[in-house]
């Protein structure tokens, strides 16, 4: 949270619902009054003259140098006829739309635009039991609904955090459908389900002959999402060598297909999701800090189902209705409330679907099973070997066991297996071949 001193100017009128998210304008490398300016409504003029909202004591800054105003994407920047201009990403610009996290040069000063995340702190929960496809009566979910309601007027990047199965994609879809980009496409990409060598091609496209197997040119996810929303699920799995390309797209809206020199401009609202702690990943050097801050302009967390037991019944009833079950009796509801839901809402959905097919609830995984797994993992650890090496080995073993169980569950049907696993069918086939699992 940014702290402000007496030199901070603030517009105190509260923004209405559907208004763009406010920003904090900070001046670096030059004396400015105020040094921090909170912009929630109207416009902000930057210059060296006393009539400016932010006065910069720099002879290279014109009396009225540039103007900032809020828009859905962040801030619209306009030159006001300055002598020395404004520079963004090394180029002089007359006009630009800046997302939070951007920096521009005004004379010898650097002007930084930060999201005013304090606007979402302590937001009052909505008195509703759903938001778009999301269902919940708990205080945690109603606060989440309030944040999403407040974001209707903004197109800033959002990072959705939460365990697997909590409903991160539902939040992404709701953010898209309630935004100004609702009429555009929603393109979803699971960064963890793409072979590492194909991630750049999937996101940015490729030209024919760019690599072995590239028989035709292909448009990437960014271009496909132009005018709409791009949802990057499992963003923590994005390879480090691709992250600078993502940063460039976020900063400039420019993408370049693999094997091409042509730069294309896209207008895309980015929503990302992760079940990892990206701050820990940054500290460990597995995720770039600059990309993290660009993605997490707004961060929302979806609590696991076990932390909001009040939501089990309304979610179960909604899922049951979708499965053709008109009534869930009290006994079934009580059984559902007694489970730990390690797989969260996804597990609840699978249980309800099984109940619809079998007329009885499937047996719950015993907590003891997970406890035994923890013991087995602890016994298998070797403190003399690197963390990453052992993690990769365990991941490979899990993948092999999971795939074998998946194919047994679907009786060898790869199409059904890919759907259950949330994987591309061709990628599933490659995994099966790699691990020697026959169907």
């Amino acid at each position: 949270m940014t702290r402000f001193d007496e030199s901070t100017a603030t517009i105190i009128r509260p923004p209405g619902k559907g208004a763009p998210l406010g920003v904090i304008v900070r001046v670096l490398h030059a004396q400015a009054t105020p040094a921090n300016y909170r912009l929630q409504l109207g416009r902000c003029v930057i210059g060296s003259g006393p009539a400016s909202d932010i006065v910069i004591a720099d002879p290279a800054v014109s009396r009225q140098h540039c103007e900032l105003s809020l828009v859905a994407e962040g801030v619209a920047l306009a030159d006001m006829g300055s002598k020395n201009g404004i520079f963004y990403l090394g180029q002089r610009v007359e006009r630009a739309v800046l997302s939070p996290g951007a920096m521009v040069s005004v004379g010898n000063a650097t002007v930084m635009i930060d999201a005013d995340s304090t606007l979402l702190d302590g937001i009052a929960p909505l008195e509703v039991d759903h938001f778009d496809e999301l269902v919940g009566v708990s205080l945690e979910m109603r606060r989440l609904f309030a944040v999403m309601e407040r974001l209707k007027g903004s197109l800033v990047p959002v990072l959705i955090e939460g365990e697997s199965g909590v409903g991160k994609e539902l939040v992404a879809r709701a953010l898209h459908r309630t935004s100004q980009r609702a009429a555009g496409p929603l393109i979803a990409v699971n960064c963890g389900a793409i072979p590492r060598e194909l991630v750049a091609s999937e996101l940015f496209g490729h030209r024919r002959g760019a690599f072995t197997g590239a028989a035709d040119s292909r448009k990437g996810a960014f271009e496909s999402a132009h005018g709409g929303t791009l949802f990057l699920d499992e963003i923590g799995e994005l390879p480090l060598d691709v992250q600078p390309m993502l940063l460039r797209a976020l900063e400039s809206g420019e993408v370049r297909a693999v094997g091409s020199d042509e730069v294309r401009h896209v207008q895309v609202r980015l929503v990302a999701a992760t079940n990892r702690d990206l701050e820990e990943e940054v500290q460990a050097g597995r995720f770039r800090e600059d990309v993290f801050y660009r993605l997490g302009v707004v961060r929302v967390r979806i609590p696991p189902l076990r932390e909001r037991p009040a939501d089990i019944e309304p979610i179960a009833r909604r899922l049951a209705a979708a499965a053709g079950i008109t009534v869930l009796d009290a006994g079934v509801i009580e059984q559902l409330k007694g489970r730990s839901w390690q797989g969260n809402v996804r597990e609840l959905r699978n249980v309800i679907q099984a109940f619809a097919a079998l007329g009885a609830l499937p047996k719950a995984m015993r907590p003891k099973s997970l406890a035994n797994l923890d013991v087995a993992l602890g016994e298998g650890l070797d403190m003399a070997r690197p963390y990453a090496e052992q993690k990769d080995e365990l991941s490979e073993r899990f993948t092999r066991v999971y795939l074998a169980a998946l194919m047994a569950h679907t009786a060898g049907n790869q199409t059904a297996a890919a759907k259950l696993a949330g994987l591309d069918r061709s990628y599933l086939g490659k995994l099966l071949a790699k691990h020697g699992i026959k169907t």
Side-chain angles (χ1 to χ4, degrees):
M1 182 182 298
T2 306
R3 294 184 181 273
F4 299 97
D5 56 26
E6 62 278 0
S7 65
T8 300
T10 304
I11 294 177
I12 59 174
R13 290 173 293 166
K17 289 183 179 180
L21 196 65
V23 299
I24 297 162
V25 184
R26 293 194 291 150
V27 179
L28 310 174
H29 311 132
Q31 183 179 351
T33 306
N36 300 310
Y37 186 98
R38 179 179 280 126
L39 176 62
Q40 297 180 15
L41 293 170
R43 68 175 192 156
C44 168
V45 174
I46 299 175
S48 59
S52 298
D53 298 298
I54 299 177
V55 179
I56 300 179
D58 180 357
V61 175
S62 299
R63 292 180 65 82
Q64 288 195 320
H65 199 106
C66 60
E67 174 185 280
L68 304 177
S69 56
L70 292 179
V71 293
E73 295 85 355
V75 170
L77 169 72
D79 194 310
M80 298 180 72
S82 68
K83 180 180 179 180
N84 295 314
I86 314 161
F87 289 82
Y88 178 55
L89 298 178
Q91 296 183 340
R92 184 166 180 166
V93 295
E94 294 290 329
R95 292 181 177 274
V97 175
L98 308 174
S99 61
M103 293 186 292
V104 295
S105 295
V106 176
N108 296 306
T110 297
V111 176
M112 186 168 187
I113 310 296
D114 285 331
D116 190 355
S117 58
T118 60
L119 295 173
L120 301 177
D121 293 343
I123 194 167
L126 290 186
E127 296 302 320
V128 296
D129 61 2
H130 70 283
F131 187 94
D132 198 65
E133 295 178 287
L134 294 157
V135 176
V137 296
S138 65
L139 182 62
E140 296 89 346
M141 289 303 289
R142 290 188 292 111
R143 280 180 176 154
L144 173 62
F145 298 162
V147 170
M148 296 173 70
E149 178 73 25
R150 177 63 185 86
L151 290 174
K152 281 184 176 181
S154 294
L155 294 172
V156 297
V158 177
L159 178 63
I160 308 167
E161 300 170 301
E163 295 179 2
S164 294
V166 292
K168 295 188 289 292
E169 186 169 353
L170 292 182
V171 172
R173 291 208 297 257
L175 287 170
H176 171 71
R177 285 198 286 248
T178 58
S179 76
Q180 298 174 22
R181 296 273 171 86
L186 171 62
I187 304 298
V189 176
N190 187 328
C191 298
I194 311 169
R196 294 180 65 87
E197 64 273 14
L198 296 180
V199 173
S201 169
E202 182 72 23
L203 293 181
F204 308 108
H206 65 256
R207 294 294 171 260
R208 181 178 179 180
F211 51 84
T212 303
D216 297 295
S217 296
R218 182 177 180 274
K219 187 164 61 173
F222 267 91
E223 284 190 70
S224 297
H226 178 65
T229 302
L230 176 59
F231 173 49
L232 298 182
D233 198 6
E234 303 297 349
I235 190 67
E237 303 293 335
L238 193 69
L240 270 171
D241 59 338
V242 178
Q243 291 178 29
M245 301 170 69
L246 175 60
L247 181 63
R248 179 70 182 180
L250 290 171
E251 287 183 334
S252 66
E254 295 177 348
V255 297
R256 181 186 288 114
V258 177
S260 173
D261 294 328
E262 181 184 0
V263 174
R264 297 192 177 184
H265 188 81
V266 294
Q267 292 183 337
V268 171
R269 196 269 183 91
L270 190 71
V271 177
T274 182
N275 58 11
R276 294 188 180 190
D277 186 329
L278 286 192
E279 290 184 279
E280 286 188 3
E281 295 295 300
V282 167
Q283 292 297 320
R286 293 187 292 269
F287 203 86
R288 288 178 59 121
E289 184 177 31
D290 48 6
V291 177
F292 169 65
Y293 284 114
R294 278 291 190 165
L295 291 172
V297 172
V298 174
R299 296 166 65 183
V300 297
R301 175 182 177 269
I302 311 175
L305 194 54
R306 62 183 173 275
E307 291 182 8
R308 45 189 178 99
D311 293 334
I312 293 174
E313 181 173 353
I315 294 174
R317 294 195 184 280
R318 176 70 67 92
L319 293 170
I325 304 172
T326 57
V327 176
L328 278 180
D329 64 43
V332 172
I333 294 295
E334 286 307 308
Q335 290 184 59
L336 295 175
K337 288 181 177 180
R339 300 196 179 199
S340 60
W341 301 115
Q342 296 298 319
N344 292 295
V345 179
R346 182 183 295 125
E347 182 185 355
L348 177 56
R349 181 195 63 199
N350 292 341
V351 166
I352 293 297
Q353 289 177 344
F355 180 75
L358 305 173
L361 293 175
K363 290 184 179 180
M365 178 184 287
R366 293 174 299 171
K368 183 179 178 182
S369 301
L370 292 176
N372 289 342
L373 177 59
D374 288 344
V375 171
L377 286 172
E379 291 176 349
L381 295 178
D382 184 350
M383 295 300 104
R385 296 175 60 203
Y387 160 82
E389 181 181 299
Q390 295 185 75
K391 180 185 175 184
D392 288 344
E393 284 183 5
L394 288 171
S395 178
E396 287 290 301
R397 180 166 294 190
F398 164 78
T399 300
R400 187 165 59 251
V401 172
Y402 175 83
L403 291 174
L406 178 67
M407 298 315 297
H409 179 73
T410 59
N413 186 323
Q414 288 194 27
T415 299
K419 185 176 180 181
L420 279 175
L423 298 173
D424 179 80
R425 190 182 183 284
S426 61
Y427 182 48
L428 174 64
K430 291 178 182 178
L431 284 176
L432 293 171
K434 175 184 177 181
H435 292 279
I437 297 173
K438 298 179 180 180
T439 59

